[in-house]
Amino acid sequence: MTPEPAAGGVALDADLVARITAHLEVLYPPEQVAETLPRLLAVVERFAREHPELATSLRPEPFDERDVVLITYADQVREPDRAPLDTLREFLSERVGGVINTVHLLPFYPWTSDDGFAVVDYEQVDPALGDWDAVERFADSFRLMVDAVFNHVSSRSPWFLGWLRNDPAYRDFFITVPEGTDVSCVMRPRPQPLLTEVEAVDGPRLVWTTFSADQVDLNYANPNVLVEMTRILLDYVGHGAALVRLDAVAYLWKRLETSCIHLPETHEIVRLWRTILSAVAPDVALITETNVPHEENVSYFGDGTDEAHLVYQFPLAPLVLSAFHLADTRPLQEWAAGLRTPSPTTAFLNFLGSHDGIGLRPVEGLLTRAEIAQLCDLAKAHGGGVSYKVNADGTFSPYEINAVYFDALTEADSPEPPSRQVDRFLASQSILLALAGVPAIYVQALLGSRNWLEGVEQTGRLRSINRRKFQRAELEAELDDPRSLRHQVFTRLRERIAVRIAEPAFHPNGEQRILSLDPRLFAFERTAPDGSSRVLCLHNVAGRAYRVVARPEDGLRVRGRLVDLVSGDTVSTSASGVLECAIPPYGVRWLRAD
């Protein structure tokens, strides 16, 4: 199971060995550290020996304005008699090559449920999708981001089945608790029971299942699990992963009589993996996925050098949605004005849509309960749904809105002309593209999808509403039809992305200053890190035209002749530095000082 020390392995730096040792000492007692350290070092040595080319950094900085992520399933686009991974790579290369440079492939391993997030075998590619060669071809075409679904495995994985048989190789790989154990203080992201009864060879056991009965949590208190998962993490990097998404990482370590979320040991494991990657593959970035309130989320930056390079910006989606529904950007402004990252090598991963729903926990304290309830009611009225979590007192609270973002913004059966719906949607995506951070666009947004209600009926799961897959010929016919909604959304969004990646002021770490103008307007200035460019970004979240007036006392710094990067039009400030310009309903103006 876990490797022996590698004969003839490369010598590891003494400082690296000391740092790995220090991480283990936080996690385990001395006798376990002494037994685990040589095996963990053997894993790192073997990787360094097999991939010496990854030890030298080739990127001067982790991210820049050219980095845009597309989130997609590996079989998102299919065609007969061809591996979906190859079909998708070719489709994306033809349609967005040169515009989107990074692709997040959602789990492509053998799985049993949750559309890939109940992994049967971490070390295999689902043969229905392709093989590791196809994954590596993807990595040759795009900067590749992969999922490390390391909190849990499928209940039908060989690991869990071996554990049920009392196979010594998997002893203590999973967590059991006695009948009647009080787990009421454990944070529950799902309404299902935390514990699932299973039948082992020696009788029934209660096993820990944070997300579902088919997703059994691993036991990182067993150092064998940590060694094995570290080996698999490095294996993904060896197959071409340039970014690794740590799925549900907040729940990694469990300790009874705690909430079992964000425990110090969890952060220590992230620090350990960052230490190892920094030494043997310094261009590889860690991304933490933690659908929690903002202050908890940003804790995974650590001190800016020792944990995640990127953290998901979960509050953005519900805050932008609320801004458009209420025609009021003030909560969005107040939140954005306080955003900071702890170092130039860290950034937010900004997104409005993903394979999951629109999380609501991250806006606790940012929106009122009434405003959150209103979002839920609007989502249902617009054809979507709402999923709930269980509170410690047994009550339910809204956990996420289930809808594609287009329909979360647009009323079902709306009498509006499609062009107006596209304007509104594009305004929301423009906020995503202009904000400080790395933008991530969900494939359903790029393709102008609507709620897939048939999928919900087929699977009985609300999350299927934004997980539709496509036949390539049918999809391309729609994309090539100028009359179709898909064509309008795809063409305009691709053009907007092209504007973003050509503008240095949109560097993820460029300065961002929020301007408080009219509540209907989300306005901010972005400045390139070297000061070479400054852009005033104006986004109208209301359905009527607006005359913008911005003054130096409002925080406006751009002056003189300004070029609109979106339309090509020009406008000038007055001699005193006052800007006056019109912005149409759901309009966007990105004004660069010329």
Side-chain angles (χ1 to χ4, degrees), residues 451-462 464-465 468:
N451 285 335
W452 189 39
L453 300 178
E454 297 90 341
V456 176
E457 293 176 2
Q458 291 171 15
T459 66
R461 298 191 306 270
L462 277 174
S464 297
I465 200 168
R468 184 181 178 186

Side-chain angles (χ1 to χ4, degrees), residues 506-529:
F506 292 137
H507 188 289
N509 296 113
E511 181 188 9
Q512 177 171 284
R513 298 176 58 257
I514 306 300
L515 278 65
S516 294
L517 303 177
D518 189 283
R520 296 167 293 179
L521 198 69
F522 189 38
F524 51 90
E525 284 188 4
R526 296 295 315 281
T527 305

Side-chain angles (χ1 to χ4, degrees), residues 24-90:
L24 293 178
E25 288 174 342
V26 173
L27 298 170
Y28 306 114
E31 61 275 13
Q32 286 187 321
V33 172
E35 191 272 336
T36 304
L37 179 62
R39 294 188 296 113
L40 186 58
L41 294 179
V43 168
V44 178
E45 287 174 348
R46 179 174 286 121
F47 178 86
R49 185 180 71 253
E50 294 175 352
H51 300 282
E53 74 283 0
L54 298 179
T56 302
S57 176
L58 300 177
R59 292 177 65 97
E61 52 188 349
F63 316 103
D64 61 29
E65 65 276 5
R66 296 169 294 178
D67 290 311
V68 176
V69 180
L70 179 71
I71 307 167
T72 179
Y73 285 98
D75 61 344
Q76 194 69 59
V77 183
R78 305 163 175 168
E79 58 186 336
D81 304 319
R82 194 171 185 202
L85 275 165
D86 287 327
T87 294
L88 179 65
R89 175 178 53 81
E90 183 178 274

Side-chain angles (χ1 to χ4, degrees), residues 93 381 435 497 584:
S93 296
L435 277 174
I497 297 168

Side-chain angles (χ1 to χ4, degrees), residues 325-343:
H325 280 315
L326 302 178
D328 185 353
T329 67
R330 284 173 293 187
L332 179 61
Q333 289 179 30
E334 183 178 352
W335 167 78
L339 293 178
R340 300 289 185 275
T341 57
S343 76

